[in-house]
Every structure is written in structure tokens, then in C-alpha cells.
């Protein structure tokens, strides 16, 4: 049975207030050719509250996912050679593009996203978002055209996570990483990433360290990913 979208979203807009998050970035063996960081995404650390999910019923905001935004479609046309290129950028999204996920049933659009300056390995972010049905588990009435008439605003700081390099087993990761912006990344400092939420038989993930810039030391911190 479909549920009233205004009741569901109004409650969530009044409660959603992330207490932080992580800015992720990733490259693969195509980087020497493209010179672009295409895969960039945000995972928020959610404040703790109870809400009514239209598909699952009563849920905690911290379970089962992290609220996230996938930025590939908006960063791929840009010249993002280093994570520092996001500083001061405003990304204007299409009002009906579901690039964010809150739960299996609740996705959201991001008509505007603004990045601040990276300071001490953190970057401030502010975004407008409109909750709507996911394409597979949507249980709210109304259409996306209705849903995007309402919006919420998130403003918080994100930890800038080290760049992930996905490297095929037959290649040497430093041979890919040496093509990165040398003022931002230290390709000589590469570590096997043991805490990623994926694994394959043909490739491995590595962290590439940042060079210190304006007090940024490329701090590392552990976070919970999709569960």
C-alpha cells in the first residue's frame, strides 16, 4: 500500500542532520590515459533517529546503510585531476536525477552541491536534496515531479579519504599512480587497502597518500560502509 509522500518526507527533512561523513575518490588503470578522477562519492555519518520507511516500516537512521551521493555523472565532464580540484566548486544537478540513496526505497535528487576548502584533511559540503521513491522499492504516492517541490539542506564536514587505486594483478600500482598530480599525491607511498567493501580475483585496491598541503596530512580514519 502506498504511503503519503508528504508525511514521510516532511518527517525526514526535519530529522536528517548528518554529523559528518567521508569524501571518497577512486581511479583505475585507465587514469594514465584519461588523467581524470571519475569515481567520486560521499557517504554521510547519520545522526541517530527513528523514522517510518515506506517499504520497511519503522527504522533507525543508522541502519542498514549510510546515506550516500554518487557524483560520477556530474564530475566525469569536469577536469578533476586531484581531489583538491573540488575546492570551491558548485555542482548543479538535474532536478530529476536520483544520484543519492537514503534507503532501498528512498532515493534523492541533488539540484545543488557546494564544496568548500580542504583544511586539515576535511572539506565542508552543503547540498540541497529532494527525497523521492527509488526505482525498485518505491512505496510513496505521488510522482518525482511532485516530490522535488520539497527539499532539505545538509551542511557538514567530510573527511577526505585517501585515493583508492584499483589495480589489475598483472600491473604495478606505482606505474599507474605516477601519472597523478605530483603536487597533491605521493605515488611512492602506496598501501594495500584491506578495509574495502569489495574483492575480486583479478585486481586489488591500494591507497595513495596525499602530500601535505596547507596543514593537510592525508589523515586516515575507519568508517562503516554498506552493510
Amino acid at each position: 500500500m502506498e504511503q503519503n509522500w508528504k508525511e514521510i518526507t516532511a518527517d525526514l527533512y526535519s530529522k536528517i542532520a548528518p554529523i559528518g561523513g567521508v569524501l571518497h575518490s577512486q581511479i583505475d588503470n585507465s587514469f594514465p590515459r584519461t588523467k581524470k578522477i571519475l569515481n567520486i562519492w560521499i557517504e554521510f555519518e547519520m545522526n541517530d533517529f527513528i523514522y517510518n520507511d515506506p517499504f520497511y516500516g519503522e527504522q533507525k537512521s543508522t541502519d542498514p546503510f549510510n546515506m550516500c551521493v554518487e557524483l560520477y555523472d556530474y564530475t566525469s565532464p569536469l577536469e578533476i585531476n586531484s581531489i583538491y580540484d573540488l575546492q570551491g566548486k558548485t555542482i548543479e544537478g538535474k532536478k530529476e536525477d536520483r544520484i543519492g540513496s537514503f534507503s532501498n526505497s528512498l532515493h534523492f535528487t541533488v539540484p545543488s552541491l557546494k564544496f568548500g576548502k580542504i583544511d586539515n584533511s576535511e572539506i565542508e559540503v552543503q547540498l540541497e536534496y529532494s527525497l523521492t521513491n527509488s526505482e525498485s522499492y518505491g512505496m510513496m504516492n505521488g510522482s518525482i515531479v511532485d516530490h522535488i517541490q520539497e527539499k532539505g539542506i545538509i551542511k557538514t564536514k567530510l573527511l577526505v579519504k585517501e585515493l583508492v587505486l584499483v589495480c589489475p594483478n598483472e600491473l604495478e600500482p606505482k606505474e599507474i599512480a605516477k601519472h597523478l598530480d605530483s603536487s597533491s599525491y605521493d605515488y611512492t607511498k602506496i598501501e594495500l587497502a584491506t578495509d574495502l567493501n569489495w574483492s575480486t580475483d583479478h585486481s586489488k585496491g591500494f591507497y595513495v597518500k596525499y602530500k601535505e598541503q596547507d596543514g593537510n596530512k592525508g589523515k586516515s580514519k575507519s568508517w562503516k560502509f554498506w552493510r
Side-chain angles (χ1 to χ4, degrees), residues 8-66:
I8 296 288
T9 61
D11 180 59
L12 283 166
Y13 289 138
S14 71
K15 292 177 177 177
I16 291 175
I19 58 176
V22 185
L23 177 64
H24 297 275
S25 55
Q26 180 177 292
I27 62 171
D28 58 23
N29 58 307
S30 68
F31 185 82
R33 174 176 52 82
T34 65
K35 298 295 193 299
K36 287 184 179 183
I37 299 176
L38 300 179
N39 198 5
I40 299 172
W41 71 101
I42 295 168
E43 286 186 315
F44 291 105
E45 184 181 7
M46 190 55 60
N47 56 313
D48 198 353
F49 59 85
I50 301 296
Y51 73 98
N52 178 33
D53 187 278
F55 187 84
Y56 295 102
E58 187 175 282
Q59 294 288 306
K60 286 190 68 175
S61 60
T62 54
D63 192 50
F65 324 114
N66 292 324

Side-chain angles (χ1 to χ4, degrees):
M1 179 179 175
E2 288 189 332
Q3 299 199 32
N4 185 296
W5 74 269
K6 287 189 175 182
E7 292 179 2
I8 296 288
T9 61
D11 180 59
L12 283 166
Y13 289 138
S14 71
K15 292 177 177 177
I16 291 175
I19 58 176
V22 185
L23 177 64
H24 297 275
S25 55
Q26 180 177 292
I27 62 171
D28 58 23
N29 58 307
S30 68
F31 185 82
R33 174 176 52 82
T34 65
K35 298 295 193 299
K36 287 184 179 183
I37 299 176
L38 300 179
N39 198 5
I40 299 172
W41 71 101
I42 295 168
E43 286 186 315
F44 291 105
E45 184 181 7
M46 190 55 60
N47 56 313
D48 198 353
F49 59 85
I50 301 296
Y51 73 98
N52 178 33
D53 187 278
F55 187 84
Y56 295 102
E58 187 175 282
Q59 294 288 306
K60 286 190 68 175
S61 60
T62 54
D63 192 50
F65 324 114
N66 292 324
M67 184 178 185
C68 68
V69 182
E70 298 283 349
L71 294 175
Y72 175 85
D73 288 340
Y74 297 103
T75 56
S76 57
L78 304 176
E79 295 296 328
I80 305 296
N81 307 118
S82 127
I83 203 69
Y84 293 98
D85 292 336
L86 290 177
Q87 294 184 115
K89 278 201 179 297
T90 296
I91 295 175
E92 300 293 340
K94 295 179 181 178
K95 291 185 177 180
E96 296 185 23
D97 279 0
R98 298 174 174 90
I99 66 169
S101 299
F102 184 79
S103 73
N104 275 345
S105 66
L106 292 167
H107 286 186
F108 57 93
T109 69
V110 182
S112 178
L113 186 153
K114 299 177 182 179
F115 287 103
K117 183 180 179 182
I118 296 176
D119 182 34
N120 198 26
S121 300
E122 292 183 324
I123 187 168
E124 189 170 77
V125 65
Q126 179 174 309
L127 64 96
E128 295 180 3
Y129 68 102
S130 293
L131 293 159
T132 188
N133 285 320
S134 72
E135 294 183 347
S136 51
Y137 292 89
M139 289 294 291
M140 294 191 302
N141 63 6
S143 68
I144 191 171
V145 176
D146 300 320
H147 302 161
I148 61 176
Q149 303 308 310
E150 305 290 340
K151 69 179 181 180
I153 296 177
I154 292 172
K155 186 175 182 179
T156 191
K157 287 186 176 180
L158 308 173
L159 175 74
V160 181
K161 187 74 172 179
E162 287 123 330
L163 176 72
V164 172
L165 164 59
V166 180
C167 182
N169 293 336
E170 66 272 15
L171 298 180
E172 169 58 46
K174 287 183 180 179
E175 289 301 306
I176 300 170
K178 72 181 183 182
H179 295 275
L180 288 161
D181 176 10
S182 61
S183 66
S184 301
Y185 301 94
D186 188 345
Y187 81 92
T188 67
K189 294 182 179 179
I190 294 178
E191 297 177 354
L192 184 65
T194 59
D195 61 346
L196 300 177
N197 61 335
W198 57 265
S199 63
T200 72
D201 294 331
H202 55 77
S203 61
K204 294 183 176 66
F206 297 85
Y207 287 126
V208 183
K209 298 290 185 179
Y210 294 106
K211 284 189 174 177
E212 185 174 344
Q213 294 187 2
D214 299 323
N216 299 305
K217 299 181 181 180
K219 295 183 299 183
S220 180
K221 185 173 181 181
S222 296
W223 293 82
K224 294 180 180 178
F225 295 91
W226 295 100
R227 290 164 287 176

